[in-house]
Amino acid sequence: MTTLVVSDLHLGGRTRADVLRHDPAALDALVAALDGVGRLVLLGDVLELRHGPAGEALDAAAPVLQRLGAAVDEVVVVPGNHDHALVGAWLERRARERPPRLGLERRIAPADASWIAEGLAQRLGAPTSVAYPGVWLRDDVYATHGHYLDLHTTVPTFERLAAGVSVRQLGPLPPGADPADYEARLAPVYGWLDAAAAWAPDGRPPAGTGAAARAYRALAGASGRGRVRGRLLAAGLPVAIAAINRAGLGPVRGDLSGPGLRVASLRAMDEVARRLRIGARTVVFGHSHRPGPLPGDDPAEWGRLVNCGCWVRGEHGPAGPDDPYAPGVAVRVPETGAPAVVRLLSPR
């Protein structure tokens, strides 16, 4: 069957950046793209669970989920980092196994994954399964959210630095890494962030939400106070990067340009695919919010990787016609032939 893959919807966030809840035309466009599609894969960060309690996000996302579920025969949910709690209860049980092993795809009934996953499936109203840490779409196409790349990226995000702390405590990944080895180093970070969000004051996201995006916009050269802030950030960044690397939390680099972010994510995701021995011709991921390959991208740089972008606005300032981070991108996987990146919304 034909599959449509979308990632990083971030439904239910308190910053109102999630496009599908606040732009009816965007939701109509995605539903129209599901015509003739048998299976919808929600490839991580479907819900924004970093802004507040999970029940709040589920209720806010319900109208969008109902429209999507009604348009397809089957939905597969692959949890990411912002909605890692979808599979949290199931992973806790796996962690008690000795040795804990996950493999590349484990299919889980929503009720067995968590109460949040069960609530998500109820709101979708379509036959729904949870797959973790990824899902085989065809014998030669594998899809995963991509948050494991945070152990390898050189971009100094909070999660990359927190992963560095975990590595110092648990040691580096073993040569024959399993997804359980990644979970051991990353799941505690996600659990702490989820717990902080659950206790966030009503109506307000936790302090620090969107800080990385604001820093990227400032460094990109905004006007007015943003330009001054960008100059201050640029001046202090080399010192901060050197301190992070001396502390053993890297290696990270200070290149936060668009090309720099793209290259760092691609190299890190390629490292994940190599370590986990993913033998697919095509590996579809999300997480970085930068879709591709887009027209003008170097195919050799992307290799077998395909990214399905995001459905949130404002991370890198107002979207323009040349903004690669503009929301509204999906990956269409036919029964045969190459998966294709499709832009469903016009940048504006």
Side-chain angles (χ1 to χ4, degrees):
M1 72 176 75
T2 298
T3 299
L4 194 74
V5 186
V6 293
S7 180
D8 295 273
L9 277 58
H10 292 274
L11 295 171
R14 289 177 172 178
T15 59
R16 297 179 60 86
D18 47 334
V19 171
L20 294 175
R21 277 200 307 142
H22 303 292
D23 186 345
L27 180 55
D28 289 344
L30 178 53
V31 171
L34 293 171
D35 185 32
V37 170
R39 177 174 56 184
L40 170 65
V41 174
L42 300 174
L43 196 65
D45 292 1
V46 181
L47 297 174
E48 179 50 81
L49 301 183
R50 299 280 179 85
H51 289 184
E56 175 187 302
L58 279 170
D59 289 343
V64 172
L65 297 173
Q66 290 164 3
R67 288 280 309 276
L68 298 179
V72 292
D73 299 325
E74 175 191 359
V75 180
V76 180
V77 178
V78 181
N81 52 319
H82 282 245
D83 57 7
H84 193 259
L86 284 170
V87 77
W90 182 84
L91 281 170
E92 288 179 8
R93 295 193 294 273
R94 298 290 77 70
R96 292 195 290 267
E97 297 175 351
R98 288 294 176 268
R101 308 296 289 179
L102 291 180
L104 292 179
E105 178 186 341
R106 295 287 291 270
R107 285 293 185 109
I108 315 149
D112 292 335
S114 68
W115 70 267
I116 309 172
E118 184 177 21
L120 181 68
Q122 290 171 350
R123 288 159 175 81
L124 282 163
T128 300
S129 63
V130 176
Y132 197 77
V135 59
W136 287 97
L137 304 179
R138 293 187 333 211
D139 290 344
D140 60 343
V141 181
Y142 180 76
T144 184
H145 178 64
H147 49 293
Y148 287 174
L149 69 79
D150 284 335
L151 270 178
H152 305 295
T153 184
T154 56
V155 178
T157 63
F158 172 82
E159 289 183 354
R160 173 65 184 92
L161 302 184
V165 174
S166 290
V167 169
R168 291 194 63 179
Q169 294 296 316
L170 299 175
L173 288 168
D178 177 84
D181 297 308
Y182 280 89
E183 292 294 325
R185 290 154 180 81
L186 292 172
V189 176
Y190 305 148
W192 180 82
L193 291 168
D194 290 341
W199 291 92
D202 288 348
R204 286 185 289 153
T209 297
R214 290 193 295 272
Y216 297 153
R217 289 197 297 269
L219 287 166
S223 60
R225 287 186 299 174
R227 181 173 296 168
V228 174
R229 188 180 300 113
R231 289 173 179 168
L232 292 174
L233 281 170
L237 191 59
V239 177
I241 293 297
I244 290 167
N245 288 330
R246 282 198 303 271
L249 302 182
V252 295
R253 300 175 57 192
D255 184 0
L256 302 184
S257 65
L261 296 174
R262 182 189 70 245
V263 170
S265 292
L266 289 173
R267 288 178 176 172
M269 189 62 213
D270 188 65
E271 179 72 3
V272 172
R274 183 186 66 80
R275 285 176 176 264
L276 294 182
R277 299 172 296 283
I278 301 174
R281 181 187 298 269
T282 302
V283 177
V284 181
F285 74 111
H287 188 53
S288 72
H289 292 200
R290 203 292 190 181
L294 297 174
D297 286 346
D298 180 2
E301 183 180 68
W302 285 82
R304 61 174 174 158
L305 301 178
V306 175
N307 189 290
C308 37
C310 71
W311 290 78
V312 293
R313 294 195 194 281
E315 288 199 315
H316 296 77
D322 299 322
D323 180 15
Y325 288 91
V329 178
V331 172
R332 188 178 180 91
V333 183
E335 292 187 26
T336 60
V341 176
V342 290
R343 185 173 287 285
L344 304 179
L345 302 181
S346 299
R348 58 179 187 268

